[in-house]
Amino acid sequence: MSKYNIIVKTLLDTYPDAKCELEYKTPYELLVATVLSAQSTDVRVNIVTKELFKNYNTPEKILKLGEERLMEYIKSIGFYNVKSKNIIALSHLLIQNYDSQVPEQMDELLKLPGVGRKTANVVLSNCFGVPAIAVDTHVFRVSTRLGFSDKRDPLQVEQDLMKKISKKYWTDAHHAFIFHGRRICKARNPMCELCSVQSYCKFYKKNKW
């Protein structure tokens, strides 16, 4: 087993409960929640969507709600104006082009307003069982500190991770990296003394020794 897969296995053992922390019941709900999660926390998004999804959890219902009223629901989230426009627009496209269903292909997801590779990978892996690694700020930080990649572009980091991690671990590794980034490998004041993969960490060796 490669060093990189050993790191992943160690993190999976450290966080056996690692999973998507956005709350959803359908692919559409996760799509909307993930769009909302950019530059925001999952905790805040879950608070907002708990109320929103009570009555507005399909493309048709969101369009009926309308952009102005949608903004009222999501105004506590960063960039809510842009996100509201994107959610209305992607809902319209889902109805028009996909029979109101969230597509299961990366290329099709990327055609939706406000949907980048990170959002598409989250939806594909969690809703459709497609092995994927979504590179958010936590995955980016943890993977670069641990030496999986030295790139600055999220797409290049994603490609490096896919090369170095066995495909069967991709989705679980994504969740474990996020859990590790939120709990231990924080952007400021990382808790290196509690890290289960400290001995493999380039950041630790450079800054703590």
Side-chain angles (χ1 to χ4, degrees):
M1 184 179 290
S2 73
K3 174 183 72 173
Y4 300 107
N5 283 317
I6 291 173
I7 294 172
V8 169
K9 278 287 286 140
T10 302
L11 289 175
L12 292 178
D13 290 340
T14 305
Y15 308 104
D17 58 339
K19 63 179 181 179
C20 178
E21 294 188 292
L22 291 170
E23 296 174 359
Y24 67 97
K25 294 179 180 178
T26 66
Y28 178 74
E29 287 186 0
L30 181 57
L31 177 63
V32 171
T34 309
V35 169
L36 291 174
S37 72
Q39 308 297 318
S40 187
T41 66
D42 288 358
V43 172
R44 169 52 53 187
V45 172
N46 288 337
I47 291 171
V48 168
T49 56
K50 182 179 181 180
E51 294 304 314
L52 177 65
F53 291 158
K54 282 181 181 178
N55 298 303
Y56 305 101
N57 62 345
T58 68
E60 290 83 1
K61 290 177 180 177
I62 286 289
L63 287 186
K64 185 176 180 180
L65 177 65
E67 186 177 327
E68 294 296 325
R69 291 170 63 200
L70 175 58
M71 282 195 287
E72 287 299 310
Y73 274 95
I74 68 172
K75 64 184 179 182
S76 63
I77 290 179
F79 303 102
Y80 69 93
N81 289 339
V82 173
K83 291 175 181 178
S84 181
K85 290 180 184 297
N86 285 335
I87 290 169
I88 292 294
L90 71 82
S91 297
H92 178 74
L93 282 181
L94 288 176
I95 294 170
Q96 185 177 51
N97 298 337
Y98 302 98
D99 195 28
S100 298
Q101 301 301 306
V102 175
E104 300 181 30
Q105 300 80 32
M106 171 67 75
D107 290 348
E108 297 303 314
L109 283 167
L110 293 178
K111 294 177 182 178
L112 301 175
V115 176
R117 285 191 65 86
K118 187 208 81 170
T119 296
N121 277 328
V122 168
V123 173
L124 289 173
S125 60
N126 288 286
C127 295
F128 303 119
V130 177
I133 302 175
V135 179
D136 67 358
T137 56
H138 299 294
V139 174
F140 184 93
R141 181 173 65 258
V142 170
S143 59
T144 53
R145 284 179 175 177
L146 287 171
F148 284 81
S149 179
D150 60 1
K151 308 298 193 307
R152 307 307 302 171
D153 176 68
L155 175 57
Q156 293 178 316
V157 173
E158 179 188 339
Q159 292 171 339
D160 284 345
L161 289 169
M162 289 191 295
K163 290 175 184 175
K164 292 174 179 175
I165 300 173
S166 296
K167 191 173 184 178
K168 63 181 179 180
Y169 294 135
W170 284 359
T171 297
D172 291 337
H174 158 74
H175 295 311
F177 278 30
I178 292 175
F179 268 50
H180 192 58
R182 287 176 176 164
R183 291 156 176 77
I184 301 295
C185 194
K186 301 176 182 181
R188 297 181 180 180
N189 302 316
M191 303 162 67
C192 297
E193 67 279 2
L194 301 178
C195 179
S196 60
V197 290
Q198 175 196 101
S199 60
Y200 298 99
C201 183
K202 291 176 63 178
F203 176 86
Y204 177 78
K205 292 176 181 178
K206 179 179 179 181
N207 294 281
K208 299 293 184 178
W209 281 10

